[in-house]
Amino acid sequence: MSLHAAAPAVVTPTVLVIDRVKLPGTAEPIQVVVRDGVVAHVGPAAVVEGATERVDAEGRTVLPGLQDAHVHATQWAATRQRLDLSTATSARAVADIVADAARRAPSSPAELLVGSGFRDGLWNDRPHKSLLDAVAPGRAVVLQSADLHTAWLSSAALRLVGHGNHESGVLYEDECYRVVAALPEASVEQVDDWVLEAMAAAATRGVTGILDFEIGDCLPDWQRRAAREPLSVRVACTVYRAHLPAAIARGWRTGDVVPGSDGCLTMGPLKLFVDGSLNSRTALCHDPYPGDGGRGRLETSPDELVMLLRQAAEHGLTTAVHAIGDRATAIALDAFEQTGLPGRIEHAQLVASDDLTRFARPGLVVGVQPAHAPDDRDVADHHWSGRTSRAFPYADLLRAGATLEIGSDAPVAPLDPWDGIAAAVLRTDDARPPWHPEQCIDVRSALRAASGGRDTVAVGDTADLVLVDTDPLQVEPDGLRDPGVAATLLGGRWTHRTL
């Protein structure tokens, strides 16, 4: 299922001829002709009347454009500018990184020092505001976890966002989202610069579309950006529960093309949460976590979830339901079965064996993030001990008839579909053996899941295409992470080109 199936081509009044190009898995070069943003010919070389541009692909492979089915675009763009905490193995190590940054970039206490990427699931100490106060006295320090579900603030930052009396300075789930969204980190113009730059970088990796799960109501932001300059990717814009009335008032249904966006913006789904995350130990599970015996957090009750799915559907909006733990996933499946509605389940990182076949519902898509599996394998082995054979169960889901779409959840993982494709196929990203190799999927299935359900190029397709140096169906598995993206086309318009 394409994220942008309803969007027309970005019409470019030209006839582009791509010579000596190969389809995936084939050896013989062919010709692809793009006429006014639509693929008009795929086959043997022929005389093309009115060709305005010819490109010699020199034997490269043409693929459908890649789609990242789960991005937080503003947070990803901002993360590219922030202090990197991904290497920290303890709260003390994070404080040391903050201390070094504060020494290297002294400023007024009111100026934010923002970092992101910490993973505290296996730390032997706990984050606390006092640690940040000690290494950056008086400084407003805001740190976000890699999974986006936890924020760690200094006392000065807590006062800045109206939480001056917060005991620990560590905020979870909805409280975390609201605080991060309210931070005065940069001007609107600066943030737009960062986002547009990040999307241009995504195009260099073959990305032609994203589903933006930025917290809040991101459609007005994208309308502003599209009015400023042609976009490098198509964007389906989600809306969160607090902004549902505004989305209903606009009257656009999921899949509708937003006027004035050159076909690049569509209305996406409503986003709801059933639970939290693995690293924050807030993913809702049937079995308890080790230590405190908690089972995670329920963010939306089953009855309320059903009510909201129906409310959204009455106004033409589908719903994307965040569910990571196996209990949360079961609740999400129950809601879709009870309502009979189409929609999405995002993540499904831990799935009860009896629930696998329930994903084969018509109109139900499972948004998965394969790069999280190697990232979180150690945390999962600890907190989901004895259950990891059904964690990130992509092969089982495909066998059960589920429809998978690959995303990154950037900034949780980089906005790079090749990283997700490789992780889905290999189940490792370092020198260690594959983690639960029985859940590896084949390259063609991974490509299809990363390309809106397409695995080749056909006449009539919107010309969202990517040319790669190496055919991913014929490369050694280790080469999947970088097949050499030579060019990207969005509706027949070059968004990246090294040819």
Side-chain angles (χ1 to χ4, degrees):
M1 175 184 294
S2 173
L3 300 174
H4 311 278
V10 180
V11 176
T12 303
T14 59
V15 178
L16 168 64
V17 180
I18 306 175
D19 291 313
R20 292 205 299 159
V21 67
K22 294 185 295 185
L23 293 175
T26 66
E28 290 299 318
I30 60 167
Q31 182 187 74
V32 171
V33 179
V34 174
R35 190 180 298 273
D36 294 340
V38 177
V39 176
H41 172 73
V42 179
V47 175
V48 181
E49 298 292 338
T52 54
E53 184 178 9
R54 298 192 81 104
V55 170
D56 184 354
E58 300 178 335
R60 291 180 172 89
T61 299
V62 62
L63 302 168
L66 303 180
Q67 299 181 9
D68 192 315
H70 197 121
V71 174
H72 301 268
T74 298
Q75 292 183 70
W76 166 240
T79 295
R80 287 158 50 96
Q81 321 296 323
R82 291 173 176 170
L83 187 62
D84 182 9
L85 307 175
S86 61
T87 61
T89 56
S90 65
R92 179 70 258 173
V94 167
D96 291 342
I97 294 172
V98 170
D100 182 62
R103 286 192 297 269
R104 288 187 286 105
S107 65
S108 66
E111 184 175 339
L112 288 177
L113 177 57
V114 184
S116 62
F118 71 84
R119 298 174 182 270
D120 64 337
L122 297 176
W123 288 357
N124 58 12
D125 57 0
R126 306 304 304 158
H128 194 276
K129 62 184 180 181
S130 60
L131 272 174
L132 303 180
D133 295 344
V135 298
R139 187 78 177 267
V141 180
V142 180
L143 310 179
Q144 193 167 22
S145 63
D147 63 14
L148 309 182
H149 289 251
T150 305
W152 176 11
L153 280 66
S154 68
S155 295
L158 289 165
R159 290 192 294 271
L160 187 64
V161 296
H163 285 63
N165 294 324
H166 197 279
E167 182 177 354
S168 67
V170 183
L171 287 63
Y172 297 98
E173 304 307 334
D174 187 61
E175 190 177 33
C176 162
Y177 309 145
R178 286 188 282 107
V179 164
V180 171
L183 289 172
E185 185 175 359
S187 67
V188 169
E189 293 77 12
Q190 180 67 76
V191 170
D192 284 351
D193 285 344
W194 290 348
V195 172
L196 292 169
E197 176 187 309
M199 295 305 105
T204 70
R205 300 299 290 159
V207 176
T208 59
I210 67 168
L211 179 52
D212 189 4
F213 281 96
E214 190 58 50
I215 295 169
D217 181 9
C218 66
L219 180 53
D221 293 333
W222 280 110
Q223 288 179 288
R224 182 181 65 248
R225 294 161 191 157
R228 170 175 157 177
E229 64 182 60
L231 299 179
S232 301
V233 299
R234 301 186 192 275
V235 184
C237 304
T238 65
V239 62
Y240 280 60
R241 179 178 177 179
H243 299 272
L244 180 57
I248 291 172
R250 282 196 292 262
W252 290 330
R253 304 166 71 87
T254 297
D256 283 353
V257 179
V258 177
S261 68
D262 201 16
C264 283
L265 299 182
T266 57
M267 184 64 206
L270 168 69
K271 173 69 179 294
L272 298 174
F273 290 83
V274 175
D275 66 346
S277 72
L278 165 60
N279 274 276
S280 298
R281 281 81 67 202
T282 51
L284 185 64
C285 299
H286 290 297
D287 300 298
Y289 289 91
D292 63 10
R295 297 172 189 262
R297 287 172 53 161
L298 178 66
E299 296 294 320
T300 305
S301 72
D303 289 345
E304 192 174 23
L305 182 62
V306 168
M307 180 271 292
L308 289 166
L309 261 65
R310 287 177 170 155
Q311 181 185 1
E314 288 172 2
H315 298 277
L317 298 173
T318 61
T319 302
V321 179
H322 168 113
I324 286 183
D326 52 5
R327 177 61 185 141
T329 300
I331 290 171
L333 288 165
D334 290 344
F336 282 113
E337 288 179 356
Q338 185 172 340
T339 61
L341 293 169
R344 303 176 62 90
I345 293 179
E346 298 298 321
H347 309 303
Q349 291 183 358
L350 188 66
V351 180
S353 299
D354 291 344
D355 285 335
L356 287 166
T357 57
R358 302 172 69 197
F359 283 91
R361 294 182 55 80
L364 182 63
V365 173
V366 190
V368 299
Q369 300 75 40
H372 296 358
D375 285 346
D376 289 344
R377 62 191 289 178
D378 297 323
V379 177
D381 281 338
H382 178 70
H383 292 298
W384 290 344
S385 178
R387 291 169 277 164
T388 53
S389 62
R390 49 188 178 88
F392 307 90
Y394 306 136
D396 283 348
L397 284 167
L398 284 179
R399 279 191 292 268
T403 298
L404 301 189
E405 288 186 354
I406 287 178
S408 62
D409 205 7
V412 182
L415 203 175
D416 183 355
W418 296 107
D419 187 36
I421 289 167
V425 173
L426 300 174
R427 299 283 291 198
T428 187
D429 61 0
D430 54 28
R432 291 184 290 178
W435 186 62
H436 289 289
E438 72 277 6
Q439 296 295 349
C440 293
I441 65 176
D442 64 276
V443 177
R444 190 176 287 277
S445 294
L447 280 173
R448 190 179 299 118
S451 305
R454 297 193 295 162
D455 59 11
T456 193
V457 176
V459 171
D461 289 348
T462 298
D464 294 354
L465 308 174
V466 57
L467 293 173
V468 292
D469 295 338
T470 307
D471 183 349
L473 296 181
Q474 299 178 342
V475 71
E476 291 295 321
D478 288 345
L480 283 173
R481 283 195 166 83
D482 190 8
V485 178
T488 307
L489 283 164
L490 185 70
R493 166 168 60 90
W494 300 106
T495 54
H496 164 65
R497 182 176 179 182
T498 62
L499 296 173

